[in-house]
Amino acid sequence: MLAIGIDPGTAICGFGLVEMIGNRLRPVHYGAVFTDKDMLPEMRLKKIYDGLTELIDTYHPDIMSVEQLFFNRNVTTAISVGQARGVVLLTAANRGLPVMEFTPIQVKQAVVGFGSANKEQVQFMVQHLLNLREKPKPDDVADALAIAVCGLHTAATRRWTELK
């Protein structure tokens, strides 16, 4: 099974494609869609849409895992992240891709085993689980890979439960 994990953001929209073969995880492709702060907001969202559409059309993932919006004190940031998240969900819907959504705590629990893990712990575990030579950078990419791993583990658990 191939999952694409997305850490939505307007400036940096991290993505990670991870394949699960048996109980092994294999990184397929990862990176980010970057937009310039000087771009018109609608053009930033279009660039995210186009970039994710191209990834989905190229790699044909089975599922998309997306981080749920974590609302902090900055309302402006939350709104722009919410817009990017909407574009991510629209991209999945337009390509018929099932979506699984996870809170940051669920992702950390799945990858690190501790819901209050910090960024460094998540990066370390993603590097270890995927046998990467270096920690994925920026944080948005490491988070997207962690979100993909969380989705794969959840899908595998659901399949196993259905077989019982």
Side-chain angles (χ1 to χ4, degrees):
M1 174 175 274
L2 179 63
I4 183 169
I6 305 292
D7 183 21
T10 306
I12 304 171
C13 183
F15 65 84
L17 287 134
V18 179
E19 185 176 32
M20 181 179 266
I21 305 166
N23 64 353
R24 296 192 61 218
L25 297 169
R26 181 180 76 87
V28 174
H29 183 59
Y30 52 92
V33 177
F34 294 94
T35 67
D36 189 285
K37 65 178 173 47
D38 295 329
M39 292 173 75
L40 293 170
E42 63 272 21
M43 298 312 294
R44 293 178 91 177
L45 297 173
K46 182 182 183 325
K47 185 172 181 182
I48 293 167
Y49 178 84
D50 291 344
L52 295 180
T53 298
E54 184 179 336
L55 285 168
I56 292 167
D57 289 349
T58 300
Y59 292 96
H60 306 287
D62 300 298
I63 59 169
M64 177 185 280
S65 301
V66 181
E67 188 170 62
Q68 289 180 348
L69 182 60
F70 174 73
F71 182 76
N72 57 16
R73 294 184 187 119
N74 189 337
V75 176
T76 304
T77 301
I79 290 171
S80 68
V81 171
Q83 291 173 334
R85 198 171 170 286
V87 166
V88 168
L89 297 176
L90 175 64
T91 305
N94 281 347
R95 290 298 185 253
L97 194 56
V99 175
M100 302 170 77
E101 300 179 76
F102 301 100
T103 66
I105 291 173
Q106 289 172 313
V107 174
K108 292 173 183 179
Q109 183 72 39
V111 175
V112 180
F114 180 59
S116 296
N118 62 37
K119 290 276 187 193
E120 291 77 26
Q121 290 169 313
V122 172
Q123 286 177 330
F124 174 82
M125 284 307 298
V126 165
Q127 180 184 8
H128 178 74
L129 289 170
L130 299 178
N131 198 28
L132 300 173
R133 292 178 192 213
E134 298 177 0
K135 291 179 185 174
K137 301 272 185 186
D139 293 346
D140 312 81
V141 175
D143 290 348
L145 287 165
I147 294 162
V149 169
C150 183
L152 287 167
H153 283 241
T154 301
T157 301
R158 287 181 184 167
R159 275 197 317 272
W160 182 78
T161 304
E162 291 170 0
L163 293 175
K164 286 178 102 182

Short mmCIF file of all heavy atoms in Angstrom, two decimals, residues 82-152:
data_model
loop_
_atom_site.label_atom_id
_atom_site.label_comp_id
_atom_site.label_asym_id
_atom_site.label_seq_id
_atom_site.Cartn_x
_atom_site.Cartn_y
_atom_site.Cartn_z
N GLY A 82 -5.77 26.64 6.92
CA GLY A 82 -7.08 26.04 6.62
C GLY A 82 -7.40 26.08 5.14
O GLY A 82 -7.96 25.14 4.58
N GLN A 83 -7.02 27.18 4.48
CA GLN A 83 -7.22 27.27 3.03
C GLN A 83 -6.37 26.23 2.30
O GLN A 83 -6.85 25.55 1.39
CB GLN A 83 -6.88 28.68 2.54
CG GLN A 83 -7.86 29.73 2.99
CD GLN A 83 -7.42 31.13 2.63
OE1 GLN A 83 -6.23 31.41 2.47
NE2 GLN A 83 -8.38 32.04 2.52
N ALA A 84 -5.12 26.10 2.71
CA ALA A 84 -4.24 25.10 2.09
C ALA A 84 -4.78 23.70 2.33
O ALA A 84 -4.76 22.85 1.43
CB ALA A 84 -2.82 25.23 2.64
N ARG A 85 -5.27 23.46 3.53
CA ARG A 85 -5.84 22.16 3.87
C ARG A 85 -7.06 21.85 2.99
O ARG A 85 -7.26 20.73 2.53
CB ARG A 85 -6.20 22.15 5.35
CG ARG A 85 -6.39 20.79 5.91
CD ARG A 85 -6.52 20.88 7.44
NE ARG A 85 -6.94 19.61 7.91
CZ ARG A 85 -8.16 19.12 7.76
NH1 ARG A 85 -9.10 19.83 7.20
NH2 ARG A 85 -8.47 17.91 8.18
N GLY A 86 -7.87 22.88 2.75
CA GLY A 86 -9.03 22.71 1.87
C GLY A 86 -8.61 22.32 0.46
O GLY A 86 -9.23 21.46 -0.17
N VAL A 87 -7.55 22.95 -0.04
CA VAL A 87 -7.03 22.62 -1.37
C VAL A 87 -6.53 21.17 -1.39
O VAL A 87 -6.75 20.43 -2.35
CB VAL A 87 -5.93 23.61 -1.78
CG1 VAL A 87 -5.14 23.12 -2.98
CG2 VAL A 87 -6.54 24.97 -2.07
N VAL A 88 -5.86 20.75 -0.32
CA VAL A 88 -5.36 19.38 -0.22
C VAL A 88 -6.52 18.39 -0.29
O VAL A 88 -6.48 17.40 -1.05
CB VAL A 88 -4.55 19.19 1.08
CG1 VAL A 88 -4.26 17.73 1.34
CG2 VAL A 88 -3.26 20.00 1.04
N LEU A 89 -7.58 18.65 0.48
CA LEU A 89 -8.75 17.76 0.48
C LEU A 89 -9.44 17.76 -0.88
O LEU A 89 -9.89 16.71 -1.36
CB LEU A 89 -9.71 18.16 1.59
CG LEU A 89 -9.17 18.05 3.01
CD1 LEU A 89 -10.19 18.58 4.03
CD2 LEU A 89 -8.77 16.62 3.34
N LEU A 90 -9.53 18.93 -1.52
CA LEU A 90 -10.12 19.02 -2.86
C LEU A 90 -9.31 18.21 -3.86
O LEU A 90 -9.87 17.51 -4.70
CB LEU A 90 -10.20 20.48 -3.30
CG LEU A 90 -10.68 20.73 -4.73
CD1 LEU A 90 -12.12 20.25 -4.91
CD2 LEU A 90 -10.54 22.20 -5.09
N THR A 91 -7.99 18.30 -3.77
CA THR A 91 -7.12 17.54 -4.67
C THR A 91 -7.40 16.04 -4.54
O THR A 91 -7.53 15.34 -5.54
CB THR A 91 -5.63 17.84 -4.37
OG1 THR A 91 -5.41 19.24 -4.42
CG2 THR A 91 -4.72 17.15 -5.37
N ALA A 92 -7.49 15.57 -3.31
CA ALA A 92 -7.79 14.15 -3.07
C ALA A 92 -9.15 13.79 -3.65
O ALA A 92 -9.30 12.76 -4.32
CB ALA A 92 -7.73 13.84 -1.58
N ALA A 93 -10.15 14.61 -3.39
CA ALA A 93 -11.50 14.33 -3.89
C ALA A 93 -11.53 14.29 -5.41
O ALA A 93 -12.16 13.40 -6.00
CB ALA A 93 -12.48 15.38 -3.36
N ASN A 94 -10.84 15.22 -6.05
CA ASN A 94 -10.82 15.26 -7.52
C ASN A 94 -10.12 14.05 -8.13
O ASN A 94 -10.36 13.71 -9.28
CB ASN A 94 -10.16 16.55 -8.01
CG ASN A 94 -11.09 17.73 -7.96
OD1 ASN A 94 -12.31 17.59 -7.79
ND2 ASN A 94 -10.54 18.92 -8.10
N ARG A 95 -9.24 13.42 -7.37
CA ARG A 95 -8.53 12.24 -7.86
C ARG A 95 -9.10 10.94 -7.29
O ARG A 95 -8.56 9.87 -7.50
CB ARG A 95 -7.03 12.34 -7.53
CG ARG A 95 -6.30 13.41 -8.33
CD ARG A 95 -6.40 13.07 -9.80
NE ARG A 95 -5.66 13.95 -10.67
CZ ARG A 95 -6.22 14.86 -11.46
NH1 ARG A 95 -7.51 15.04 -11.45
NH2 ARG A 95 -5.48 15.57 -12.27
N GLY A 96 -10.21 11.02 -6.55
CA GLY A 96 -10.86 9.83 -6.00
C GLY A 96 -10.02 9.13 -4.95
O GLY A 96 -10.13 7.92 -4.77
N LEU A 97 -9.22 9.89 -4.24
CA LEU A 97 -8.29 9.33 -3.26
C LEU A 97 -8.89 9.39 -1.86
O LEU A 97 -9.26 10.47 -1.40
CB LEU A 97 -6.99 10.14 -3.32
CG LEU A 97 -5.75 9.62 -2.66
CD1 LEU A 97 -5.38 8.22 -3.16
CD2 LEU A 97 -4.60 10.58 -2.92
N PRO A 98 -9.03 8.24 -1.19
CA PRO A 98 -9.57 8.26 0.18
C PRO A 98 -8.63 9.04 1.12
O PRO A 98 -7.41 8.96 0.99
CB PRO A 98 -9.61 6.79 0.60
CG PRO A 98 -9.30 5.99 -0.61
CD PRO A 98 -8.69 6.90 -1.63
N VAL A 99 -9.23 9.79 2.04
CA VAL A 99 -8.47 10.63 2.96
C VAL A 99 -8.66 10.14 4.39
O VAL A 99 -9.76 9.81 4.81
CB VAL A 99 -8.95 12.10 2.87
CG1 VAL A 99 -8.25 12.97 3.91
CG2 VAL A 99 -8.71 12.66 1.48
N MET A 100 -7.54 10.10 5.11
CA MET A 100 -7.54 9.83 6.54
C MET A 100 -6.95 11.06 7.22
O MET A 100 -5.94 11.57 6.76
CB MET A 100 -6.71 8.59 6.85
CG MET A 100 -7.18 7.35 6.12
SD MET A 100 -6.01 5.97 6.29
CE MET A 100 -6.41 5.46 7.92
N GLU A 101 -7.59 11.52 8.28
CA GLU A 101 -7.13 12.71 8.97
C GLU A 101 -6.66 12.36 10.37
O GLU A 101 -7.29 11.55 11.05
CB GLU A 101 -8.24 13.75 9.04
CG GLU A 101 -8.73 14.18 7.66
CD GLU A 101 -9.84 15.19 7.75
OE1 GLU A 101 -9.53 16.36 8.03
OE2 GLU A 101 -11.01 14.81 7.54
N PHE A 102 -5.57 13.00 10.79
CA PHE A 102 -4.98 12.70 12.09
C PHE A 102 -4.58 13.99 12.80
O PHE A 102 -4.10 14.93 12.17
CB PHE A 102 -3.74 11.82 11.93
CG PHE A 102 -4.03 10.51 11.25
CD1 PHE A 102 -3.75 10.35 9.91
CD2 PHE A 102 -4.59 9.47 11.95
CE1 PHE A 102 -4.02 9.15 9.27
CE2 PHE A 102 -4.88 8.27 11.33
CZ PHE A 102 -4.60 8.11 9.99
N THR A 103 -4.75 13.98 14.11
CA THR A 103 -4.28 15.10 14.91
C THR A 103 -2.77 14.97 15.09
O THR A 103 -2.22 13.87 14.95
CB THR A 103 -4.93 15.10 16.31
OG1 THR A 103 -4.48 13.94 17.02
CG2 THR A 103 -6.45 15.12 16.22
N PRO A 104 -2.09 16.07 15.40
CA PRO A 104 -0.65 15.97 15.67
C PRO A 104 -0.33 14.96 16.77
O PRO A 104 0.67 14.23 16.67
CB PRO A 104 -0.28 17.40 16.08
CG PRO A 104 -1.28 18.27 15.40
CD PRO A 104 -2.56 17.47 15.42
N ILE A 105 -1.17 14.87 17.78
CA ILE A 105 -0.93 13.91 18.86
C ILE A 105 -1.01 12.48 18.35
O ILE A 105 -0.19 11.63 18.71
CB ILE A 105 -1.92 14.15 20.03
CG1 ILE A 105 -1.59 15.48 20.72
CG2 ILE A 105 -1.91 13.00 21.02
CD1 ILE A 105 -2.59 15.92 21.77
N GLN A 106 -1.99 12.19 17.49
CA GLN A 106 -2.11 10.84 16.93
C GLN A 106 -0.89 10.47 16.09
O GLN A 106 -0.41 9.34 16.14
CB GLN A 106 -3.38 10.73 16.07
CG GLN A 106 -4.66 10.74 16.85
CD GLN A 106 -5.88 10.83 15.94
OE1 GLN A 106 -5.94 11.65 15.02
NE2 GLN A 106 -6.86 9.96 16.19
N VAL A 107 -0.39 11.43 15.31
CA VAL A 107 0.78 11.18 14.47
C VAL A 107 1.99 10.89 15.35
O VAL A 107 2.72 9.92 15.13
CB VAL A 107 1.05 12.37 13.52
CG1 VAL A 107 2.35 12.17 12.77
CG2 VAL A 107 -0.11 12.56 12.55
N LYS A 108 2.21 11.72 16.35
CA LYS A 108 3.36 11.51 17.26
C LYS A 108 3.24 10.18 17.98
O LYS A 108 4.24 9.47 18.15
CB LYS A 108 3.44 12.66 18.27
CG LYS A 108 3.82 13.98 17.64
CD LYS A 108 3.72 15.12 18.64
CE LYS A 108 4.01 16.45 18.00
NZ LYS A 108 3.90 17.55 18.97
N GLN A 109 2.05 9.82 18.41
CA GLN A 109 1.82 8.54 19.09
C GLN A 109 2.17 7.37 18.17
O GLN A 109 2.83 6.41 18.58
CB GLN A 109 0.36 8.44 19.54
CG GLN A 109 0.03 7.19 20.32
CD GLN A 109 0.61 7.20 21.71
OE1 GLN A 109 0.64 8.23 22.37
NE2 GLN A 109 1.09 6.07 22.16
N ALA A 110 1.76 7.47 16.90
CA ALA A 110 2.01 6.38 15.95
C ALA A 110 3.48 6.24 15.60
O ALA A 110 3.96 5.12 15.40
CB ALA A 110 1.19 6.62 14.67
N VAL A 111 4.19 7.35 15.52
CA VAL A 111 5.57 7.31 15.04
C VAL A 111 6.58 7.22 16.18
O VAL A 111 7.55 6.46 16.09
CB VAL A 111 5.86 8.55 14.16
CG1 VAL A 111 7.32 8.62 13.76
CG2 VAL A 111 4.99 8.53 12.92
N VAL A 112 6.33 7.96 17.25
CA VAL A 112 7.29 8.01 18.36
C VAL A 112 6.84 7.13 19.52
O VAL A 112 7.66 6.63 20.29
CB VAL A 112 7.51 9.47 18.83
CG1 VAL A 112 8.50 9.55 19.98
CG2 VAL A 112 7.97 10.34 17.68
N GLY A 113 5.51 6.95 19.66
CA GLY A 113 4.98 6.20 20.79
C GLY A 113 4.64 7.10 21.96
O GLY A 113 4.31 6.63 23.04
N PHE A 114 4.71 8.41 21.73
CA PHE A 114 4.49 9.39 22.79
C PHE A 114 3.85 10.62 22.16
O PHE A 114 4.46 11.28 21.31
CB PHE A 114 5.85 9.73 23.43
CG PHE A 114 5.79 10.73 24.55
CD1 PHE A 114 5.03 10.50 25.68
CD2 PHE A 114 6.52 11.90 24.47
CE1 PHE A 114 4.99 11.42 26.72
CE2 PHE A 114 6.49 12.84 25.50
CZ PHE A 114 5.71 12.58 26.62
N GLY A 115 2.61 10.92 22.54
CA GLY A 115 1.86 12.00 21.92
C GLY A 115 2.38 13.39 22.16
O GLY A 115 1.99 14.32 21.47
N SER A 116 3.28 13.55 23.12
CA SER A 116 3.86 14.87 23.40
C SER A 116 5.29 14.98 22.89
O SER A 116 6.06 15.83 23.35
CB SER A 116 3.83 15.16 24.91
OG SER A 116 2.49 15.22 25.35
N ALA A 117 5.65 14.13 21.95
CA ALA A 117 7.02 14.14 21.42
C ALA A 117 7.32 15.48 20.77
O ALA A 117 6.43 16.16 20.25
CB ALA A 117 7.19 13.02 20.39
N ASN A 118 8.60 15.87 20.78
CA ASN A 118 8.98 17.13 20.14
C ASN A 118 9.40 16.88 18.68
O ASN A 118 9.48 15.73 18.23
CB ASN A 118 10.08 17.84 20.94
CG ASN A 118 11.36 17.03 21.03
OD1 ASN A 118 11.76 16.35 20.08
ND2 ASN A 118 12.03 17.10 22.17
N LYS A 119 9.68 17.96 17.97
CA LYS A 119 10.04 17.88 16.54
C LYS A 119 11.26 16.99 16.30
O LYS A 119 11.30 16.22 15.36
CB LYS A 119 10.31 19.28 15.98
CG LYS A 119 9.10 20.15 15.86
CD LYS A 119 8.38 19.87 14.57
CE LYS A 119 7.25 20.87 14.36
NZ LYS A 119 6.37 20.44 13.30
N GLU A 120 12.25 17.13 17.16
CA GLU A 120 13.48 16.35 17.00
C GLU A 120 13.22 14.85 17.15
O GLU A 120 13.79 14.03 16.42
CB GLU A 120 14.55 16.79 18.00
CG GLU A 120 15.10 18.19 17.75
CD GLU A 120 14.17 19.32 18.20
OE1 GLU A 120 13.34 19.11 19.11
OE2 GLU A 120 14.26 20.40 17.61
N GLN A 121 12.35 14.48 18.08
CA GLN A 121 12.02 13.07 18.27
C GLN A 121 11.27 12.52 17.05
O GLN A 121 11.53 11.40 16.62
CB GLN A 121 11.19 12.90 19.54
CG GLN A 121 11.98 13.13 20.81
CD GLN A 121 11.09 13.22 22.04
OE1 GLN A 121 10.07 13.92 22.04
NE2 GLN A 121 11.47 12.51 23.09
N VAL A 122 10.37 13.32 16.51
CA VAL A 122 9.64 12.89 15.31
C VAL A 122 10.61 12.72 14.15
O VAL A 122 10.59 11.70 13.45
CB VAL A 122 8.51 13.89 14.96
CG1 VAL A 122 7.88 13.55 13.61
CG2 VAL A 122 7.45 13.91 16.05
N GLN A 123 11.49 13.70 13.94
CA GLN A 123 12.47 13.60 12.85
C GLN A 123 13.36 12.37 13.02
O GLN A 123 13.63 11.66 12.06
CB GLN A 123 13.35 14.85 12.81
CG GLN A 123 12.66 16.07 12.27
CD GLN A 123 13.56 17.30 12.31
OE1 GLN A 123 14.43 17.43 13.16
NE2 GLN A 123 13.33 18.20 11.38
N PHE A 124 13.83 12.12 14.24
CA PHE A 124 14.69 10.97 14.50
C PHE A 124 13.96 9.66 14.16
O PHE A 124 14.53 8.79 13.50
CB PHE A 124 15.16 10.95 15.96
CG PHE A 124 15.92 9.71 16.30
CD1 PHE A 124 17.28 9.61 16.00
CD2 PHE A 124 15.29 8.63 16.91
CE1 PHE A 124 17.98 8.45 16.30
CE2 PHE A 124 16.00 7.47 17.21
CZ PHE A 124 17.34 7.38 16.91
N MET A 125 12.72 9.54 14.61
CA MET A 125 11.99 8.29 14.37
C MET A 125 11.64 8.11 12.90
O MET A 125 11.70 6.99 12.39
CB MET A 125 10.73 8.23 15.24
CG MET A 125 11.02 7.92 16.69
SD MET A 125 12.01 6.41 16.95
CE MET A 125 10.95 5.15 16.28
N VAL A 126 11.31 9.20 12.22
CA VAL A 126 11.04 9.10 10.78
C VAL A 126 12.30 8.63 10.06
O VAL A 126 12.26 7.73 9.22
CB VAL A 126 10.53 10.45 10.21
CG1 VAL A 126 10.59 10.48 8.70
CG2 VAL A 126 9.11 10.72 10.69
N GLN A 127 13.43 9.21 10.42
CA GLN A 127 14.70 8.81 9.82
C GLN A 127 14.98 7.33 10.09
O GLN A 127 15.37 6.59 9.18
CB GLN A 127 15.84 9.67 10.38
CG GLN A 127 17.20 9.32 9.81
CD GLN A 127 18.33 10.13 10.45
OE1 GLN A 127 18.13 10.85 11.42
NE2 GLN A 127 19.52 9.99 9.91
N HIS A 128 14.74 6.90 11.31
CA HIS A 128 14.99 5.50 11.70
C HIS A 128 14.01 4.54 11.01
O HIS A 128 14.43 3.53 10.44
CB HIS A 128 14.91 5.38 13.22
CG HIS A 128 15.10 3.99 13.71
ND1 HIS A 128 16.33 3.37 13.72
CD2 HIS A 128 14.20 3.09 14.20
CE1 HIS A 128 16.18 2.15 14.19
NE2 HIS A 128 14.91 1.95 14.49
N LEU A 129 12.71 4.85 11.08
CA LEU A 129 11.70 3.96 10.50
C LEU A 129 11.84 3.79 9.00
O LEU A 129 11.57 2.72 8.45
CB LEU A 129 10.29 4.49 10.82
CG LEU A 129 9.82 4.38 12.26
CD1 LEU A 129 8.53 5.17 12.45
CD2 LEU A 129 9.62 2.93 12.65
N LEU A 130 12.27 4.87 8.33
CA LEU A 130 12.38 4.83 6.87
C LEU A 130 13.81 4.59 6.39
O LEU A 130 14.07 4.62 5.19
CB LEU A 130 11.82 6.12 6.27
CG LEU A 130 10.34 6.38 6.56
CD1 LEU A 130 9.90 7.71 5.97
CD2 LEU A 130 9.47 5.24 6.07
N ASN A 131 14.71 4.38 7.33
CA ASN A 131 16.11 4.09 7.01
C ASN A 131 16.71 5.17 6.10
O ASN A 131 17.34 4.85 5.08
CB ASN A 131 16.23 2.69 6.39
CG ASN A 131 17.65 2.18 6.45
OD1 ASN A 131 18.42 2.54 7.34
ND2 ASN A 131 17.99 1.31 5.51
N LEU A 132 16.50 6.42 6.49
CA LEU A 132 17.02 7.55 5.72
C LEU A 132 18.42 7.90 6.21
O LEU A 132 18.69 7.81 7.41
CB LEU A 132 16.10 8.76 5.87
CG LEU A 132 14.65 8.57 5.40
CD1 LEU A 132 13.83 9.80 5.77
CD2 LEU A 132 14.60 8.31 3.91
N ARG A 133 19.28 8.33 5.33
CA ARG A 133 20.64 8.71 5.72
C ARG A 133 20.67 9.96 6.58
O ARG A 133 21.50 10.12 7.45
CB ARG A 133 21.50 8.93 4.48
CG ARG A 133 21.76 7.66 3.73
CD ARG A 133 22.57 7.94 2.50
NE ARG A 133 22.55 6.76 1.66
CZ ARG A 133 23.52 6.38 0.90
NH1 ARG A 133 24.62 7.11 0.83
NH2 ARG A 133 23.42 5.31 0.17
N GLU A 134 19.75 10.88 6.28
CA GLU A 134 19.69 12.16 7.00
C GLU A 134 18.27 12.42 7.46
O GLU A 134 17.32 11.89 6.89
CB GLU A 134 20.15 13.30 6.10
CG GLU A 134 21.57 13.20 5.62
CD GLU A 134 21.93 14.32 4.66
OE1 GLU A 134 21.07 15.18 4.38
OE2 GLU A 134 23.09 14.33 4.20
N LYS A 135 18.15 13.25 8.48
CA LYS A 135 16.83 13.67 8.92
C LYS A 135 16.19 14.50 7.81
O LYS A 135 16.84 15.38 7.25
CB LYS A 135 16.91 14.50 10.20
CG LYS A 135 17.33 13.70 11.40
CD LYS A 135 17.42 14.58 12.63
CE LYS A 135 17.96 13.76 13.80
NZ LYS A 135 18.19 14.60 14.98
N PRO A 136 14.93 14.21 7.48
CA PRO A 136 14.27 15.00 6.43
C PRO A 136 14.07 16.44 6.87
O PRO A 136 13.71 16.71 8.01
CB PRO A 136 12.94 14.29 6.23
CG PRO A 136 12.79 13.33 7.34
CD PRO A 136 14.09 13.17 8.03
N LYS A 137 14.35 17.35 5.97
CA LYS A 137 14.20 18.79 6.24
C LYS A 137 13.39 19.39 5.12
O LYS A 137 13.44 18.91 4.00
CB LYS A 137 15.59 19.46 6.28
CG LYS A 137 16.51 18.92 7.32
CD LYS A 137 16.33 19.64 8.61
CE LYS A 137 17.40 19.12 9.57
NZ LYS A 137 17.31 19.57 10.87
N PRO A 138 12.68 20.45 5.33
CA PRO A 138 12.38 21.09 6.60
C PRO A 138 11.43 20.25 7.44
O PRO A 138 11.02 19.16 7.02
CB PRO A 138 11.74 22.42 6.18
CG PRO A 138 11.14 22.16 4.85
CD PRO A 138 12.03 21.12 4.20
N ASP A 139 11.05 20.76 8.60
CA ASP A 139 10.17 20.03 9.52
C ASP A 139 8.88 19.58 8.84
O ASP A 139 8.36 18.51 9.15
CB ASP A 139 9.78 20.91 10.72
CG ASP A 139 10.95 21.22 11.62
OD1 ASP A 139 12.01 20.57 11.50
OD2 ASP A 139 10.81 22.12 12.47
N ASP A 140 8.37 20.38 7.92
CA ASP A 140 7.12 20.06 7.23
C ASP A 140 7.22 18.75 6.46
O ASP A 140 6.26 17.99 6.35
CB ASP A 140 6.74 21.19 6.27
CG ASP A 140 6.84 22.55 6.92
OD1 ASP A 140 7.97 23.07 7.00
OD2 ASP A 140 5.81 23.07 7.37
N VAL A 141 8.40 18.46 5.92
CA VAL A 141 8.61 17.22 5.17
C VAL A 141 8.67 16.03 6.13
O VAL A 141 8.05 14.99 5.88
CB VAL A 141 9.89 17.31 4.31
CG1 VAL A 141 10.19 15.99 3.62
CG2 VAL A 141 9.75 18.43 3.28
N ALA A 142 9.39 16.19 7.23
CA ALA A 142 9.44 15.12 8.24
C ALA A 142 8.04 14.84 8.78
O ALA A 142 7.65 13.68 8.96
CB ALA A 142 10.39 15.51 9.38
N ASP A 143 7.28 15.90 9.01
CA ASP A 143 5.91 15.74 9.50
C ASP A 143 5.04 15.01 8.47
O ASP A 143 4.25 14.13 8.82
CB ASP A 143 5.28 17.09 9.84
CG ASP A 143 5.90 17.74 11.07
OD1 ASP A 143 6.65 17.06 11.81
OD2 ASP A 143 5.63 18.93 11.31
N ALA A 144 5.20 15.36 7.19
CA ALA A 144 4.42 14.70 6.14
C ALA A 144 4.75 13.21 6.07
O ALA A 144 3.86 12.38 5.91
CB ALA A 144 4.68 15.38 4.80
N LEU A 145 6.03 12.86 6.19
CA LEU A 145 6.41 11.45 6.20
C LEU A 145 5.81 10.75 7.41
O LEU A 145 5.31 9.61 7.30
CB LEU A 145 7.93 11.31 6.19
CG LEU A 145 8.61 11.64 4.87
CD1 LEU A 145 10.12 11.83 5.06
CD2 LEU A 145 8.33 10.56 3.82
N ALA A 146 5.83 11.41 8.56
CA ALA A 146 5.24 10.82 9.78
C ALA A 146 3.73 10.62 9.60
O ALA A 146 3.18 9.60 10.02
CB ALA A 146 5.52 11.72 10.98
N ILE A 147 3.07 11.58 8.95
CA ILE A 147 1.63 11.48 8.70
C ILE A 147 1.34 10.30 7.76
O ILE A 147 0.38 9.56 7.96
CB ILE A 147 1.09 12.81 8.14
CG1 ILE A 147 1.22 13.90 9.21
CG2 ILE A 147 -0.34 12.68 7.65
CD1 ILE A 147 1.13 15.32 8.68
N ALA A 148 2.19 10.10 6.76
CA ALA A 148 2.02 8.95 5.86
C ALA A 148 2.19 7.64 6.62
O ALA A 148 1.40 6.70 6.44
CB ALA A 148 3.02 9.03 4.71
N VAL A 149 3.19 7.56 7.48
CA VAL A 149 3.42 6.35 8.29
C VAL A 149 2.21 6.10 9.18
O VAL A 149 1.74 4.95 9.29
CB VAL A 149 4.72 6.48 9.11
CG1 VAL A 149 4.83 5.37 10.15
CG2 VAL A 149 5.94 6.48 8.19
N CYS A 150 1.69 7.14 9.81
CA CYS A 150 0.51 7.01 10.66
C CYS A 150 -0.67 6.45 9.86
O CYS A 150 -1.37 5.55 10.31
CB CYS A 150 0.16 8.37 11.28
SG CYS A 150 -1.22 8.34 12.41
N GLY A 151 -0.87 6.96 8.66
CA GLY A 151 -1.95 6.47 7.80
C GLY A 151 -1.78 5.01 7.42
O GLY A 151 -2.74 4.24 7.43
N LEU A 152 -0.56 4.62 7.11
CA LEU A 152 -0.30 3.23 6.75
C LEU A 152 -0.54 2.30 7.93
O LEU A 152 -1.15 1.22 7.77
CB LEU A 152 1.14 3.07 6.23
CG LEU A 152 1.39 3.64 4.84
CD1 LEU A 152 2.89 3.72 4.55
CD2 LEU A 152 0.67 2.82 3.77
#
